[in-house]
Amino acid sequence: MWEGAGLQVFLICVGAVLCSSVAAAASGPLDRSHRHHLSLHRHRERGKEGQVLHRSKRGWVWNQFFVIEEYTGPDPVLVGRLHSDVDSGDGNIKYILSGEGAGTIFVIDDKTGNIHATKTLDREEQAQYTLTAQAVARDTNKPLEPPSEFIVKVQDINDNPPEFLHGPYYARVAEMSNVGTSVIKVTATDADDPTYGNSARLVYSILQGQPYFSVEPQTGIIRTALPNMDREARQEYDVVIQAKDMGGHMGGLSGTTEVKITLTDVNDNPPKFPQTVYNMAISEDKVPGEEVGRIKAKDPDLAENGLVDYRVTGGDGMNMFEVTKDTETQEAIIKLKKTVDFETKQLYSLEVEASNPHVDPRFIAWGPYKDKATVKVAIEDADEPPIFLAPGYSFEVEENAPDGTVVGRVYAKDTDAANNPIRYMIPRYTDLGEFFSIGHEDGTIRTTRPLDRETLAWHNISVSATEIGGHHQDAKVRVNIKVKDLNDNAPEFATQNEVLVCENVTPGKLIETVSAVDKDEMAHRQHFHFSLAPEVANNHNFSLKDNKDNTASIYVVRRGFSRITQDIYYLPIEINDNGVPPLSSTNTLTIRVCSCDSKNTILSCNVEPFILPAGLSTGALIAILACIVILLAIVVLFVALRRQKKEPLIVFEEEDIRENIITYDDEGGGEEDTEAFDIATLQNPDGANGFLPRKDIKPELQYSMRPGLRPVASSVDVDDFIKTRISDADNDPTAPPYDSIQIYGYEGRGSIAGSLSSLESVTTDSDLDYDYLQSWGPRFKKLADLYGTKDSAEDNS
């Protein structure tokens, strides 16, 4: 290959030399632009005035060289040769090369001027190089010729295959498209020179995808090649497109790309039910709105093309069932529209139609886009609760009717084929007072006690009916019972207000208009008749007039009422109704005499002193009395507090009043103790007289001491004295109502420690030695001296 390339370069060079020679011979020395080497020459010219001018002249003019790309021969490629006219071949001329690639890609022999390419060139990287040549003296480096610029152009060869820069491609085309419908355009690029030969002239062809698609060779446009391509049969196609250079001829380079073509959906398929008849069942106890079943018509189209609508077009169940649509699953839902009854009809049929809401007019001739199916619904028997013959019952019963009076009867029946018997009952929560009872078998409602319309005019109860047997289902019905009124309540005053009359009222004055009410049912024709009670029919104070409109007027008969003489008058009035039977009652009207001024304005109706200090009003008198009461209360409270502080009560709240033991265990401090307890205080003068007052109550009667129990004042026998006091307390009615034991200085008998009492020492012979009392301190010093001295005297005797 490289040998062929070298031969080609050689032939090009030979051709260039021949062309340059011919051109030089035809146009002279200045038109030698096609030589393969560049010749430099100096020429002298003489001017018009005889002046000698020097100018540089190119002996050879050739400003463009060609080098074939991708040359990989064993020797460097000779690009061209530089030669100057002043070069005599003695080696005094040196050629210099500069510019793009000089010294790296292109090298020059400075003696001969031959230029060689040392590296393989790629036109696609750089198509041409601009270089500058110059001839200088070898010894002085002075330019002998001006610089000459020339171009080395890289000649293209077909070394780059076509490439699809934007692949792989994705395209969509509607199914059922006509033949030749454009799908997509693919484009390949070739890096070779499009202006030189056929290296970059591309031709497209399809390698994979026949017979469904084709491609235009020159444009790369892919088109459909078969009619009626069905998406439901095949949705995706993988197509391979090839681009080949050299015009598609043998030896050209090629490249390929993949194109994934997807068929988009159109509405070309009608909905279709998988079966023509569907069987369903529903129980008769289901309520309207319950789902019976579902059916679905299949449509292989997508999105809105596959939407299906459903409707009932016929059948004897059109009024009993309805069809709705599940938008998620595209199913038809058969629902119960009305309550069905097994005992009435056991089977219904429906004709359901499925249709596409969106139809493509291009394919409307392929229709119709709808389908029908028959749905048969069987009704299943269920154990239903009883049914009352009426949705509700209303009865009336006389007021005060005796126990067991029949109010009315309810009736229910079992609608099932079994026709089980019914049991009736009244739920207690609807008849809390248990005013009624019901026959369990016949449903007859009776009273259990007399009813009072004035207490409760209506009784609203429920009655339940339950099947005996079966599943014990029950049903309830509302029963409203009205209590019919009887005239069993006498009329009475509508209000019970007092009537106020001035002392100076004039005779014949109307002081009150009274009206009446009756707890019985007031009919529009009911009237009340008013009259004074027989015992006051001839009184001289007041009179009554019946107004015939269920009211009566009270008038004053005389003048001169006085609160001092009588401040309240009671006027009994008899009221009669016209009921059956008629009833009457006597009601008392209270009339109070009040103090009035000259304009008959009431000043006061209360009882108060009639002689008041001059210039002192009633309000001032009340204020003074209030102040006096407050002062008295303060004084009483102060005295009570002081008395409580000085004289405490016998019993305290915190103590147990049943057992109150007061113990005196102070043995005294000797003769020097002036605050010691004095036995004389026990001899209460009041107690000696037989009177022991309590400090917390005032005695109601005086108690006289029983004869023979009064102790001698000078008695020093404490034991007898205490017994006397206990006896007095037991027989004293003014003493506290509890047992009170008071102990005065008793230490008990038989104590191991003995007693230090001097009272007992007088009557007992004690052999004890009391010298140890000397060590008990100053409080017992006197006692120790007494006993110690006595013992010492006896010992001396």
Side-chain angles (χ1 to χ4, degrees), residues 191 240 279 743 779:
V240 178
N279 294 308
I743 302 174
R779 294 179 59 86

Side-chain angles (χ1 to χ4, degrees), residues 615-687:
L616 192 63
S617 64
T618 304
L621 181 60
I622 293 174
I624 293 172
L625 291 176
C627 292
I628 293 173
V629 170
I630 293 172
L631 291 175
L632 289 176
I634 292 172
V635 171
V636 171
L637 180 61
F638 180 78
V639 172
L641 291 175
R642 293 195 60 183
R643 180 179 179 186
Q644 181 179 4
K645 184 176 180 181
K646 291 182 179 181
E647 297 179 6
L649 298 176
I650 295 176
V651 180
F652 295 92
E653 293 179 359
E654 295 82 5
E655 295 177 348
D656 190 352
I657 62 174
R658 294 171 297 178
E659 294 181 2
N660 188 8
I661 302 176
I662 303 174
T663 304
Y664 297 87
D665 55 0
D666 190 359
E667 299 191 17
E671 295 179 356
E672 295 179 355
D673 187 5
T674 59
E675 295 180 0
F677 185 80
D678 189 0
I679 194 65
T681 60
L682 296 175
Q683 298 178 353
N684 191 345
D686 295 333

Side-chain angles (χ1 to χ4, degrees), residues 210-382:
Q210 304 95 337
Y212 307 103
F213 300 95
S214 64
V215 62
E216 293 182 357
Q218 306 302 325
T219 63
I221 298 176
I222 301 175
R223 299 180 183 274
T224 58
L226 282 182
N228 301 329
M229 285 192 294
D230 191 4
R231 183 200 65 83
E232 288 74 30
R234 182 177 177 182
Q235 184 174 0
E236 293 184 350
Y237 297 85
D238 294 326
V239 178
V240 178
I241 301 298
Q242 174 186 267
K244 190 174 182 180
D245 58 12
M246 299 300 291
H249 296 297
M250 184 179 296
L253 303 179
S254 64
T256 61
T257 187
E258 291 185 0
V259 182
K260 187 177 288 294
I261 301 175
T262 302
L263 298 183
T264 58
D265 184 63
V266 298
N267 190 9
D268 59 338
N269 294 281
K272 185 70 176 177
F273 284 108
Q275 54 193 83
T276 58
V277 178
Y278 294 86
N279 294 308
M280 300 179 183
I282 188 172
S283 178
E284 64 174 338
D285 59 353
K286 299 298 182 181
V287 297
E290 289 277 355
E291 180 178 327
V292 181
R294 297 187 176 206
I295 60 175
K296 182 178 181 180
K298 295 182 178 181
D299 190 331
D301 295 325
L302 300 178
E304 68 175 13
N305 297 322
L307 296 179
V308 181
D309 289 342
Y310 301 92
R311 66 189 183 99
V312 178
T313 59
D316 57 2
M318 292 184 62
N319 297 328
M320 307 302 294
F321 301 92
E322 61 182 354
V323 176
T324 61
K325 175 184 172 182
D326 187 337
T327 57
E328 295 292 332
T329 62
Q330 294 293 310
E331 293 176 313
I333 306 175
I334 313 299
K335 290 185 177 181
L336 184 64
K337 186 177 181 179
K338 294 181 180 180
T339 303
V340 292
D341 186 13
F342 174 81
E343 288 72 25
T344 303
K345 189 175 179 64
Q346 290 82 34
L347 183 64
Y348 293 90
S349 64
L350 298 171
E351 188 177 82
V352 180
E353 180 186 85
S355 61
N356 285 140
H358 305 284
V359 178
D360 194 331
R362 295 176 299 172
F363 309 103
I364 195 169
W366 297 14
Y369 287 86
K370 60 182 64 177
D371 193 20
K372 292 183 178 182
T374 301
V375 179
K376 294 184 178 181
V377 182
I379 309 302
E380 297 176 345
D381 189 20

Side-chain angles (χ1 to χ4, degrees), residues 96-103 106 108 130-134 147-150:
I96 299 173
L97 186 65
S98 62
E100 294 179 328
F106 302 101
I108 187 171
T130 302
L131 298 172
T132 302
Q134 189 175 12
S148 178
E149 185 179 275
F150 61 96

Side-chain angles (χ1 to χ4, degrees), residues 115-150:
I115 302 173
H116 291 83
T118 62
K119 294 183 179 180
T120 302
L121 302 182
D122 187 0
R123 190 200 66 83
E124 284 72 37
E125 291 184 3
Q126 189 167 345
Q128 65 183 14
Y129 298 86
T130 302
L131 298 172
T132 302
Q134 189 175 12
V136 299
R138 185 175 295 277
D139 52 354
T140 62
N141 284 331
K142 291 183 178 180
L144 299 178
E145 292 281 352
S148 178
E149 185 179 275
F150 61 96

Side-chain angles (χ1 to χ4, degrees), residues 720-735:
D720 293 339
F721 171 73
I722 291 176
K723 290 180 179 180
T724 302
R725 296 282 284 139
I726 292 175
S727 177
D728 293 342
D730 291 340
N731 295 281
D732 185 3
T734 63

